[in-house]
């Protein structure tokens, strides 16, 4: 399934999918969706985990817009504390048609300057800047097969749409831009941070971000080297507030009103391990945190 209804450009991806409408897009996406991974790790004394991987129930409050934060899917607080005895593997998800990782002709990963913290501006000769409500995203990588040990020296490639719902390098009007794409390497505590904007909501998907995990920044040059692909979800209540009050997100209001976690084709089976914890405000900007568990 395409992650945006805008047409492809410059040969980055097939052009016919979008011309056939959303129904065809959904069928195409379903045919290529990678299986959702479900795995519990019983690493402490035989006690049953209350958290069931990425199963249903974790997003119940947010499905109705009644929560402003997520658990991050582990027993850590805000996805920033390590050393717990159990955690869940973050499920594998589709990269969608706009990854820019070399898998469909466009590759931002081989451009000079892609390793950066602030991804709001284009780079490598492009000059556009994505406007929107400031958002700081902190991810904490842990080894779910080794008592949630911090994974230092790993790299994450993060990308997402702008406030208008467009993907740089692909969507009409921004094919010459590469903003909202970047790579960061985890520090000794397994964490990394991106400075970006709050993503818009385009028709047919809940607000989200994509990411790929790599063993190091030096291997984060092509999709062929990735260890995991997944997506980050955002609390419905916060999204509604941003779209209603911030400039430039007007189209997202109606789009969000037509979708929910229950009907989203990626998140409908639960977002327990993918729902970011959010804090902040429109004026001051938001902070999102999430713990990402992988089998290292």
């Amino acid at each position: 399934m395409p992650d945006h209804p805008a047409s492809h450009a410059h040969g980055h991806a097939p052009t016919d999918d979008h011309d056939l409408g959303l129904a065809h897009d959904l069928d195409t996406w379903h045919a290529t969706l990678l299986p959702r991974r479900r795995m519990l790790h019983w690493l402490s004394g035989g006690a049953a985990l209350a958290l069931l991987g990425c199963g249903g129930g974790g997003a119940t409050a947010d499905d109705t817009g009644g929560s402003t934060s997520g658990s991050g899917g582990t027993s850590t607080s805000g996805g920033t504390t390590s050393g717990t005895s159990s955690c869940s593997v973050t499920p594998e998800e589709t990269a969608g048609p706009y990854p820019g990782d070399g898998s469909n002709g466009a590759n931002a990963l081989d451009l000079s300057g892609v390793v950066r913290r602030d991804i709001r501006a284009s780079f490598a000769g492009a000059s556009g800047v994505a406007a929107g409500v400031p958002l700081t995203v902190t991810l904490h990588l842990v080894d779910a097969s080794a008592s949630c040990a911090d994974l230092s020296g790993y790299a994450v490639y993060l990308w997402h749409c702008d406030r208008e719902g467009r993907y740089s390098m692909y969507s009409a009007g921004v094919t010459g831009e590469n903003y909202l794409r970047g790579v960061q390497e985890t520090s000794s505590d397994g964490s990394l941070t991106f400075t970006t904007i709050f993503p818009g909501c385009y028709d047919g998907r809940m607000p989200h971000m994509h990411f790929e995990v790599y063993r190091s920044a030096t291997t984060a040059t092509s999709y062929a080297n990735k260890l995991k692909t997944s997506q980050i979800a955002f609390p419905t209540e916060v999204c509604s507030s941003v779209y209603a009050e911030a400039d430039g997100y007007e189209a997202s209001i109606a789009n969000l009103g037509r979708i929910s976690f229950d009907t989203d084709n990626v998140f409908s089976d639960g977002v327990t391990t993918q729902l970011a914890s959010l804090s902040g405000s429109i004026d001051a900007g938001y902070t999102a945190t999430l713990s990402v568990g992988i089998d290292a």
Side-chain angles (χ1 to χ4, degrees):
M1 160 182 172
D3 271 317
H4 186 271
S7 60
H8 296 291
H10 295 327
H12 291 316
T15 58
D16 295 337
D17 289 352
H18 296 287
D19 295 334
L20 297 178
L22 180 59
H24 176 272
D25 291 347
L26 292 174
D27 290 340
T28 301
W29 182 87
H30 275 299
T32 58
L33 176 64
L34 294 171
R36 301 292 302 270
R37 296 175 63 188
R38 296 294 178 271
M39 190 176 296
L40 290 177
H41 296 272
W42 300 91
L43 302 176
S44 60
L49 293 177
L51 180 65
L52 298 178
C54 191
T60 302
D62 286 274
D63 288 345
T64 59
S67 174
T68 59
S69 64
S71 68
T74 75
S75 55
T76 63
S77 176
T80 59
T81 302
S82 63
T84 57
S85 60
S86 62
C87 58
S88 299
V89 173
T90 300
E92 189 78 10
E93 303 289 9
T94 177
Y98 312 120
D101 60 2
S103 59
N104 61 0
N107 192 359
L109 295 176
D110 65 358
L111 298 177
S112 176
V114 70
V115 179
R116 63 212 184 111
R117 172 170 174 156
D118 192 334
I119 63 174
R120 292 175 292 185
S122 290
F123 61 102
S127 59
V129 179
V133 174
L135 175 64
T136 299
V137 178
T138 297
L139 301 180
H140 179 219
L141 266 63
V142 297
D143 188 349
S145 63
S147 300
C148 305
D150 298 327
L151 291 175
S152 63
Y154 281 66
V156 169
Y157 168 43
L158 182 79
W159 75 96
H160 64 91
C161 71
D162 59 19
R163 68 180 181 183
E164 289 85 8
R166 305 171 300 181
Y167 281 88
S168 67
M169 305 178 75
Y170 296 92
S171 299
V174 292
T175 55
E177 305 296 344
N178 48 38
Y179 56 54
L180 305 182
R181 300 177 183 273
V183 173
Q184 278 283 279
E185 197 168 63
T186 58
S187 60
S188 59
D189 66 353
S191 66
L192 53 80
T193 299
F194 290 96
T195 300
T196 184
I197 62 156
F198 205 96
C201 178
Y202 51 82
D203 202 18
R205 282 300 317 275
M206 286 292 287
H208 64 282
M209 291 182 177
H210 300 264
F211 69 91
E212 293 173 346
V213 179
Y214 290 83
R215 181 59 188 85
S216 66
T218 57
T219 63
T221 57
S222 167
Y223 75 99
N225 301 324
K226 66 183 179 180
L227 304 177
K228 175 176 286 293
T229 304
S230 196
Q231 298 185 22
I232 304 170
F234 295 89
T236 306
E237 185 178 64
V238 179
C239 295
S240 296
S241 176
V242 170
Y243 299 156
E245 300 177 30
D247 293 336
Y249 291 91
E250 290 78 13
S252 293
I253 300 173
N255 291 335
L256 183 61
R258 290 190 291 267
I259 192 72
S260 70
F261 284 125
D262 287 338
T263 58
D264 185 271
N265 284 287
V266 172
F267 298 136
S268 60
D269 56 353
V271 292
T272 301
T273 60
Q274 296 165 279
L275 186 64
S277 297
L278 259 69
S279 62
S281 66
I282 292 175
D283 291 337
Y286 285 89
T287 298
T289 59
L290 181 68
S291 182
V292 177
I294 70 171
D295 282 327

